[in-house]
């Protein structure tokens, strides 16, 4: 059997991509052999779980040919194949942790074991022995990914042997294999955060190894292996201990044929219809979950330059509805209806909501349910306002109430609005539906014929967003009334319980009130409620009333316009701790000028040195949808959509709040899609430019312009040199003769230079030392030549040591590493060169080859002549 399986593996295109490295193929076979012996113990210690033996691991080579096209497989380097192939064998190996005495002892010392054993005894009422077995089983499952990372580098507990036997292989490859193996249990946000930053690594073979790409590959390949190979009927019958939810997983997969690829989708079919209704639904949920994972991976990989065109898979065939899916994965003697989270049938969607509406989609953001409830309330309030306007009805101010109440030790989250309210049809088919969008439905246009789509742009889509409320707790109550129609009260008691919807006497007050008992989260998640709401929904077009027991406060609309610049700055800074931060490439940050971004990480406003601030208030721009402040050297903007926070983004010297009504968002609503960041950066700068130019001119009143050269460097680097050129600031330092120094505006400097044919310039030299220094080094220069001292503060250092004396060379050659790049970062120096060049009708780059003389590593002198 081993020879047959190995022949299948060695014929796969993924294995063949490693033919250029036979030594790696040999090592991988050694790893496989060791893993096979250990993995065979999984079915003994964990009999209830589907196959985690080497058969599952071997099968992943074939699944890879379904997930990737031939051209995509050819792009794998031999080193990448080795790391991915090794992760096939390591990623589930931790399931066998309880196979040795030492492994069991390690598990008994884990938090996962202790928590499960305590629950088994106190909640399930199991005896000590049964509780120990269950806790070992669950502990092995819950820690297997983390343990796989350890196994790559250390001996298997109790065996006294490394799985990767050669120390040299462990030293060079174990870290890569470990990171990819453990990542299959991470959320995509963590994959991006921990591996995406690393981009590509170089292996000992000199080949690129992209760990984030390999993590995505393992994630999809492993998930896609859901078929009879993983849960064989005969093997299930012969095993003992297969029952309950484990039995359902076996039944869900045992009639499924191996997946195939049809165009850019994975297709599953059955060789025999599935008889068990719950098993069919479970497999549908698995397929839907895989479809979501493919979308998340595709989105991540397409946004990274190093992984572009390496993953073309788009999803799973026909998962859009259960009815469509049933045409491929056939049920026996029943017809699956479109699953809706209804008052009389909710248990069939529990796992689907857990997969799609919880942490898989949203990551570890505990405040997602609050955000989703706020955005639904926002839409209801805005729609009510638009409807009243269209129907010439009296205007009523929108009102949103968010509260945290505590009664008898239990805490309840409340979100209430005076929006349009809902009918029973909207509740059943859209609010409690999966992957449904009321705003795009015919029912919406029938219910609101006078509302033009251009007048109403919703933030939410109902469906999965609302169902995230079950991340908070199981006991949910809804009371809603649409103006002039019936009032309904809905009680829901968890995803696996039945709910009830009742018609009650109308109150004549439209709106919706939702309450949920906080059971699954720490109540502290909602502490400092005002701060949480202001961070999550800072730009709502109506007031928000906040209730914390007997305490009531109001978060007024447009509060962000009225607070001080310091308060706004610190608010945006604090948003980084709660709102996802968008990664911004250096290329995007070049939207303002041709220079690279050099800004510092944000710090509190009071911690910014006075020498790095404007005189008085900073330049700012305020409109109905934004407030932005020019803070040189510091840049963050909290981006909102329809009043609700999306992400913090890195900017060039700009801090503030911006609401973008038409921005496209991911399904989790915490990332932008196809958004032109550079265009945003340029337009933002355009709004601030006039104020920046005036603020630069105001620095003249300080009377110490040379001492602010580092500040000017930062200004130029963030906003480009044009703001300095267009200002009235006399910044251009010119020494006409010993003892006669002038500070000139840009235009004044050009006028001075018009009739000059030579200039001597010093860098890093004091103004009074620059004249004798230049004269000593360039004795033949005309007596009336202007000497220009340029401060080196805040700009690149020169190459060489302090012992170097009078070294001649081109201007560019004196700079440190990457001379041209370093020269470009000498912003103030370039500003001087540009003014001189403009006055002489030349380009500043014409001066880069001018003869200059360096004195040590701190300063140089250069002679510039007019051509």
């Amino acid at each position: 059997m081993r020879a047959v399986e190995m022949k299948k593996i060695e014929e796969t295109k993924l294995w063949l991509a490693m033919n250029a490295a036979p030594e790696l193929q040999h090592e991988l076979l050694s790893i496989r052999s060791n893993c096979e012996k250990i993995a065979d113990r999984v079915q003994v210690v964990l009999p209830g779980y589907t196959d985690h033996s080497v058969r599952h691991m071997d099968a992943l080579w074939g699944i890879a040919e379904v997930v990737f096209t031939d051209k995509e497989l050819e792009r794998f380097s031999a080193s990448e194949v080795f790391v991915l192939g090794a992760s096939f064998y390591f990623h589930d190996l931790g399931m066998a942790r309880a196979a040795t005495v030492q492994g069991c002892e390690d598990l008994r010392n884990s938090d996962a074991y202790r928590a499960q054993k305590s629950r088994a005894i106190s909640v399930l009422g199991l005896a000590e022995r049964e509780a120990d077995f269950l806790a070992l089983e669950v502990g092995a499952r819950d820690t297997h990914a983390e343990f796989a990372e350890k196994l790559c580098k250390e001996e298997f507990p109790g065996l006294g042997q490394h799985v990767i036997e050669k120390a040299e292989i462990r030293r060079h490859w174990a870290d890569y294999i470990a990171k990819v193996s453990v990542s299959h249990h991470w959320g995509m946000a963590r994959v991006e955060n921990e591996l995406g930053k690393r981009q590509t690594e170089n292996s000992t073979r000199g080949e690129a190894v992209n760990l984030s790409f390999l993590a995505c590959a393992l994630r999809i390949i492993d998930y896609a292996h859901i078929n009879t190979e993983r849960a064989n009927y005969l093997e299930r019958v012969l095993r003992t201990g297969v029952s309950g939810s484990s039995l359902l997983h076996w039944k869900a997969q045992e009639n499924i044929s191996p997946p195939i690829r049809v165009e850019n989708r994975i297709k599953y079919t059955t060789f025999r219809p599935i008889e068990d209704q719950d098993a069919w639904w479970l497999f549908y949920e698995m397929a839907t979950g895989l479809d979501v994972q493919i979308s998340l991976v595709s989105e991540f990989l397409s946004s990274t330059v190093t992984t572009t065109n390496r993953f073309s898979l788009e999803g799973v065939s026909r998962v859009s509805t259960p009815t469509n899916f049933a045409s491929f994965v056939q049920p026996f003697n029943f017809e699956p209806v479109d699953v809706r989270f209804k008052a009389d049938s909710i248990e069939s969607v529990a796992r689907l909501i857990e997969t799609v509406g919880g942490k898989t989609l949203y990551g570890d953001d505990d405040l997602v349910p609050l955000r989703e409830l706020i955005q639904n309330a926002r839409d209801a309030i805005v729609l009510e306002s638009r409807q009243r306007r269209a129907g010439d009805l009296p205007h009523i101010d929108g009102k949103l109430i968010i509260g945290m109440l505590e009664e008898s030790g239990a805490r309840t989250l409340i979100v209430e609005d005076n929006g349009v309210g809902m009918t029973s049809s909207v509740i059943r088919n859209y609010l409690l539906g999966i992957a449904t969008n009321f705003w795009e439905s015919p029912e919406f246009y029938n219910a609101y014929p006078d509302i033009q789509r251009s007048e109403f742009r919703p933030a939410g889509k109902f469906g999965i967003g609302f169902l995230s409320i079950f991340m908070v707790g199981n006991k949910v109550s809804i009371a809603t009334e649409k103006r002039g129609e019936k009032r309904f009260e809905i009680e829901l008691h968890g995803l696996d319980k039945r709910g009830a919807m009742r018609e009650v006497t109308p109150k004549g007050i439209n709106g919706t009130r939702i309450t949920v008992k906080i059971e699954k989260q720490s109540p502290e998640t909602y502490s400092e409620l005002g701060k949480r709401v202001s961070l999550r929904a800072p730009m709502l077009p109506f007031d928000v009333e906040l209730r914390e027991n007997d305490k009531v406060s109001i978060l007024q609309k447009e509060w962000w316009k009225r607070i001080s610049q310091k308060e706004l700055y610190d608010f945006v800074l604090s948003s980084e701790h709660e709102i996802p931060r968008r990664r911004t490439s250096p290329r995007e940050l070049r939207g303002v000028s041709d220079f690279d971004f050099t800004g510092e990480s944000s710090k509190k406003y009071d911690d910014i040195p006075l020498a790095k601030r404007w005189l008085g208030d900073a330049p700012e721009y305020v409109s109905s949808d934004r407030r932005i402040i020019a803070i040189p050297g510091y840049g963050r903007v909290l981006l909102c959509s329809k009043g609700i926070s999306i992400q913090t983004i890195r900017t060039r010297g700009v801090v503030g709040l911006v609401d973008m009504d038409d921005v496209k968002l991911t399904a989790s609503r915490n990332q932008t899609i196809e958004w032109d960041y550079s265009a945003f950066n340029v337009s933002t700068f355009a709004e601030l430019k006039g104020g920046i130019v005036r603020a630069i001119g105001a620095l003249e009143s300080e009377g110490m312009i040379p001492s602010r050269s580092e500040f000017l460097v930062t200004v130029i680097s963030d906003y480009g040199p044009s703001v300095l050129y267009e200002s009235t600031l006399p910044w251009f330092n010119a020494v006409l003769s010993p003892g006669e120094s002038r500070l000139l505006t840009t235009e004044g400097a050009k006028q001075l230079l018009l009739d000059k044919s030579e200039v001597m310039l010093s860098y890093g030299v004091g103004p009074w030392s620059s004249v004798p220094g230049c004269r000593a080094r360039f004795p033949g220069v005309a007596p009336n030549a202007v000497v220009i001292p340029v401060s080196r503060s805040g700009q690149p250092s020169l190459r060489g040591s302090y012992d170097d004396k009078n070294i001649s060379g081109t201007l560019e050659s004196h700079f440190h590493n990457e001379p041209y790049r370093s020269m470009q970062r000498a912003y103030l120096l370039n500003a001087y060169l540009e003014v001189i060049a403009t006055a002489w009708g030349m380009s500043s780059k014409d001066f880069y080859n001018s003869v200059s003389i360096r004195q040590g590593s701190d300063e140089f002198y250069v002679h510039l002549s007019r051509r």
Side-chain angles (χ1 to χ4, degrees), residues 251-258 267-275 280 283 325-332:
K251 288 184 175 181
Q253 300 176 65
E254 62 188 18
N255 292 334
I256 305 297
S257 302
K267 178 180 178 180
Y268 290 97
T269 58
T270 50
F271 56 81
R272 185 184 301 111
I274 299 176
E275 296 185 16
W280 189 95
F283 189 78
F325 195 63
S327 64
F328 287 166
V329 177
Q330 298 178 347
F332 179 76

Side-chain angles (χ1 to χ4, degrees), residues 443-709:
E443 188 166 349
F444 169 75
Y445 292 103
N446 290 334
Y448 303 99
D450 297 330
I451 300 298
Q452 298 296 319
R453 198 49 206 269
S454 60
E455 297 176 350
F456 175 65
R457 293 174 178 173
K461 294 184 178 180
F462 285 145
I464 293 301
F466 173 76
L467 297 182
S468 65
I469 196 172
F470 290 99
M471 295 167 61
V472 180
N474 288 327
K475 296 182 180 179
V476 178
S477 299
I478 306 170
T480 185
E481 182 175 337
K482 190 174 187 295
R483 179 160 33 88
E485 298 196 19
K486 299 175 181 178
R487 184 177 183 85
F488 296 95
E489 291 183 352
I490 304 98
E491 295 291 334
L492 305 172
H493 300 288
L495 291 166
D496 56 347
K497 306 292 182 182
R498 292 191 178 275
M501 180 164 64
R502 300 184 302 275
E503 181 182 333
V504 296
T505 303
K507 294 184 177 181
I509 302 174
N510 56 280
T512 300
R513 175 184 171 92
I514 297 172
T515 65
V516 54
K517 184 178 179 181
I518 301 173
E519 300 170 310
K520 298 180 180 180
Q521 295 180 322
S522 167
E524 298 305 314
T525 302
Y526 301 95
S527 63
E528 298 183 275
L529 193 59
K531 177 182 177 182
R532 304 287 188 191
V533 173
S534 66
L535 284 168
R536 294 293 167 149
M539 305 182 79
L540 293 173
F542 44 77
D543 293 347
V544 180
E545 182 177 307
L546 302 161
R547 298 179 180 176
E548 296 183 76
N549 295 322
D550 296 331
K551 182 180 178 182
V552 178
S553 59
I554 302 293
L555 181 66
Q556 296 181 332
K557 66 178 182 180
E558 297 188 338
W559 59 268
W560 44 272
K561 288 185 178 180
R562 295 184 289 273
I563 61 177
S564 68
Q565 290 188 346
K566 173 186 180 303
E567 290 170 322
L568 181 68
Y569 178 98
D570 289 339
F571 171 80
V572 174
L573 180 62
S574 71
S575 71
E576 285 204 317
H577 302 294
E578 293 207 27
I579 308 300
R581 180 163 64 88
R582 180 187 189 273
R583 283 198 179 86
T584 310
S585 70
R587 180 177 300 174
E588 290 177 318
L589 287 165
R590 293 194 190 109
V592 170
S593 72
D594 293 331
F595 301 114
D596 292 332
F597 181 75
T598 58
E600 303 178 32
S601 300
S602 291
K603 59 176 69 175
K604 289 185 177 181
Y605 190 83
D606 289 338
D607 294 333
I608 300 177
L610 291 176
K612 290 191 174 184
R613 295 188 195 172
W614 303 102
L615 293 178
D617 284 343
E620 72 172 24
Y621 176 83
V622 184
S623 68
S624 61
D625 62 0
R626 66 191 59 200
R627 183 182 178 188
I628 48 178
I629 309 171
I631 308 289
Y634 304 87
R636 294 291 187 272
V637 165
L638 177 56
L639 179 64
C640 302
S641 177
K642 301 173 181 69
I644 299 168
S645 298
I646 302 303
Q647 59 193 170
T648 55
I649 54 177
R650 191 178 181 190
T651 53
R652 297 173 59 91
V654 175
V655 175
L657 281 168
V658 175
D659 191 89
M660 304 286 285
D661 189 51
D662 293 328
V663 65
K664 294 182 180 179
L665 305 175
T666 61
S668 57
R669 211 178 184 279
N670 62 5
Q671 288 287 315
T672 55
I673 302 174
E674 299 176 359
W675 187 45
D676 191 340
Y677 180 87
S678 294
F680 166 77
N681 215 22
V682 171
S683 65
T684 300
F685 170 68
E687 291 163 343
L688 285 171
K689 185 175 181 180
I692 292 173
V693 170
R694 287 190 294 273
I696 292 174
L699 294 174
E700 181 179 6
S701 64
E702 193 175 47
M704 296 177 63
I705 301 306
S707 68
R708 295 294 294 271
S709 60

Side-chain angles (χ1 to χ4, degrees), residues 63 66 224-229 256-260 267-269 271:
I63 298 294
V66 178
H225 191 218
I226 44 176
N227 58 66
T228 187
E229 295 174 344
I256 305 297
S257 302
I260 61 174
K267 178 180 178 180
Y268 290 97
T269 58
F271 56 81

Side-chain angles (χ1 to χ4, degrees), residues 3 14 21 230 247 334 359 364 434 481 499 517 571 657 693 697 768 796 835 856:
L14 188 61
R230 195 79 189 270
L247 177 60
F334 69 93
K359 298 219 179 260
D364 296 324
I434 297 172
E481 182 175 337
K517 184 178 179 181
F571 171 80
L657 281 168
V693 170
W768 306 123
V835 172

